């Protein structure tokens, strides 16, 4: 059996720089037509010059695959001139509250103070992508941020606000209430709960921000994804860290899913008899939210078992050493 997806899109991806970029970029570039690339490098991507150089490095690392990096700027109080100059080169601006996740130092510390810049983004029709977590108790951080999303959705009705990597049923309910809200959901938050991370032996490779939540949250996210709920987009949040930063006291947050995303999504949708809605979830919903047409790129998966490697370079992937039922057909390039 075979399934072909048309221009699958990963709407939230970490590619890093240097040797890590060389390892991970071809994996996403083989399977996806385009991806929204996160700007949380060290230092973050805050200038057009750095953004264009990073884009060039990604395109080079993605060779020989056809792959469109959709670039983001790290949120700051940019002036109108710099946003106008950046606009043709970006898909959005990514806002991180200061210190909530990997490489988010220098993010926003006063959420009220950003509103003039949000007004500017709204006027320039530049989407705002948000890591929506408070600094509260780890399981409540997303829930505590929802009123912020709601305030912005009301105050900036023409601004597209993307709630990145949502993990709770509450976020899904908010999504339904405001047409200017959109959201991404990861593969791992459709599959795991906090029990998989810390319910038995501690599993550092499943530790990420936002932390995986309760079974009822996962059920709600899965139901929404399988239904290809409008404005809910696939965004992997694939976030590679070297094994010595994961298997460590002080484990870095991030799950590296890039090489197994499409096989696991096809398997998940097939098991729930929802394969006909996978195209909308991995591509069409994002096209509608962002109003863009990706380059044509058919990606075919075949029902054929393969074993996920233990490592890609220095990184341990999601489902390492496990056997998957679907394989991406390697394109002739
Ligand atoms: C991401 C990373 O490693 O850059 N980590 C994560 O746990 N998801 C950052 C992020 O998206 O929060
Ligand atoms: Zn991320």
């Amino acid at each position: 059996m075979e399934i072909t997806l048309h221009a699958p899109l990963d709407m939230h991806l970490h590619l890093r720089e240097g040797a890590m970029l060389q390892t991970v970029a071809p994996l996403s570039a083989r399977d996806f037509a385009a991806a929204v690339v996160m700007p949380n490098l060290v230092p973050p991507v805050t200038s057009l010059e750095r953004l264009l150089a990073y884009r060039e490095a990604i395109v080079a690392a993605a060779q020989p695959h056809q792959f469109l990096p959709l670039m983001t700027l790290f949120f700051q109080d940019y002036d109108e001139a710099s946003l106008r100059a950046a606009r043709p080169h970006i898909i959005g601006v990514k806002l991180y509250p200061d210190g909530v996740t990997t490489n988010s130092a220098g993010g926003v510390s006063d959420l009220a103070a950003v509103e003039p810049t949000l007004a500017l983004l709204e006027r320039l029709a530049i989407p705002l992508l948000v890591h929506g977590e408070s600094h509260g108790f780890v399981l409540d951080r997303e829930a505590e941020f929802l009123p912020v999303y709601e305030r912005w959705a009301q105050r900036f009705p023409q601004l597209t606000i993307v709630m990145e990597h949502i993990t709770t049923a509450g976020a899904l309910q908010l999504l339904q209430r405001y047409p200017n809200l959109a959201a991404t959901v990861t593969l791992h938050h459709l599959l795991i709960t906090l029990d998989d991370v810390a319910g038995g032996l501690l599993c550092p490779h499943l530790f990420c921000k936002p932390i995986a939540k309760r079974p009822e949250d996962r059920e709600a996210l899965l139901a929404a994804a399988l239904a290809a709920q409008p404005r809910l987009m696939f965004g992997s949040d694939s976030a590679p860290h070297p094994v010595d930063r994961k298997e460590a006291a002080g484990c870095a947050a991030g799950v590296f899913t890039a090489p197994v995303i499409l096989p696991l999504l096809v398997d998940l949708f097939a098991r729930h008899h929802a394969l006909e809605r996978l195209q909308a979830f991995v591509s069409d919903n994002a096209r509608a939210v962002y109003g863009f047409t990706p380059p044509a790129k058919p990606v075919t998966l075949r029902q054929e078992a393969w074993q996920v490697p233990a490592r890609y370079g220095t990184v341990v992937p999601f489902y390492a050493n496990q056997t998957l039922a679907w394989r991406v057909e390697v394109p002739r390039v």
Side-chain angles (χ1 to χ4, degrees):
M1 195 178 155
E2 255 184 36
I3 175 172
T4 296
L5 297 166
H6 298 282
L9 304 172
D10 183 345
M11 302 307 286
H12 182 132
L13 178 64
H14 298 271
L15 288 174
R16 318 298 191 204
E17 291 179 278
M20 184 65 90
L21 172 66
Q22 303 305 319
T23 301
V24 303
L27 300 167
S28 289
R30 184 195 68 178
D31 293 3
F32 289 89
V36 174
V37 180
M38 290 298 131
N40 62 331
L41 306 180
V42 187
V45 181
T46 53
S47 75
L48 182 54
E49 192 186 4
R50 174 134 163 79
L51 182 135
L52 293 175
Y54 186 34
R55 188 183 191 286
E56 210 167 289
I58 294 167
V59 170
Q63 291 301 328
H65 306 289
Q66 178 206 333
F67 178 70
L68 180 67
L70 304 165
M71 306 303 291
T72 58
L73 272 179
F74 189 94
F75 186 97
Q76 286 187 341
D77 288 329
Y78 295 107
D79 61 23
E80 180 163 350
S82 26
L83 285 177
R84 278 191 187 280
R87 186 167 56 166
H89 308 285
I90 62 175
I91 189 142
V93 172
K94 174 76 188 287
L95 186 153
Y96 294 88
D98 187 33
V100 287
T101 189
T102 307
N103 304 340
S104 60
V108 169
S109 45
D110 179 2
L111 290 170
V114 304
E115 295 195 4
T117 309
L118 302 193
L120 198 52
L121 293 174
E122 181 181 43
R123 196 146 49 77
L124 297 175
I126 298 174
L128 174 72
L129 287 59
V130 184
H131 184 117
E133 289 198 285
S134 72
H135 292 89
F137 177 65
V138 68
L139 284 175
D140 297 336
R141 288 176 189 173
E142 184 172 292
E144 287 174 356
F145 200 88
L146 296 182
V148 178
Y149 281 132
E150 182 155 24
R151 175 183 165 83
W152 291 348
Q154 288 172 351
R155 286 185 67 98
F156 307 103
Q158 302 306 317
L159 177 64
T160 296
I161 301 168
V162 184
M163 304 187 286
E164 295 294 338
H165 43 51
I166 60 169
T167 57
T168 58
L172 280 169
Q173 284 159 13
L174 188 66
L175 174 65
Q176 278 167 330
R177 295 197 4 240
Y178 294 92
N180 56 327
L181 288 180
T184 56
V185 65
T186 74
L187 169 66
H188 49 286
H189 289 107
L190 299 178
L191 292 173
I192 65 169
T193 69
L194 185 56
D195 258 1
D196 297 290
V197 186
L201 292 179
L202 187 66
C203 185
H205 299 292
L206 300 180
F207 172 65
C208 65
K209 302 286 175 66
I211 195 104
K213 302 291 189 310
R214 307 181 61 84
E216 50 270 38
D217 291 306
R218 181 187 57 183
E219 290 315 310
L221 294 167
L222 181 57
L226 294 171
Q229 184 179 311
R231 305 198 310 284
L232 183 65
M233 308 175 279
F234 175 69
S236 72
D237 198 15
S238 178
H241 293 279
V243 64
D244 62 326
R245 297 272 290 113
K246 294 292 287 178
E247 296 179 4
C251 164
V255 180
F256 178 55
T257 50
V260 295
I261 292 166
L262 291 183
L264 286 174
L265 277 179
V266 168
D267 182 65
L268 184 63
F269 275 64
R271 280 191 283 117
H272 289 86
H273 310 288
L275 266 182
E276 71 279 9
R277 287 188 290 276
L278 183 55
Q279 174 66 32
F281 178 59
V282 294
S283 189
D284 302 351
N285 284 0
R287 300 179 199 209
V289 166
Y290 282 96
F292 90 112
T293 305
K297 180 173 175 178
V299 176
T300 298
L301 287 100
R302 193 180 288 283
Q303 207 165 13
E304 183 187 309
W306 64 289
Q307 196 186 13
V308 180
R311 300 269 171 96
Y312 287 87
T314 58
V315 194
V316 176
F318 194 49
Y319 278 62
N321 298 316
Q322 297 191 45
T323 300
L324 305 189
W326 292 81
R327 177 198 278 282
V328 177
E329 209 166 75
V330 181
R332 269 176 272 116
V333 283

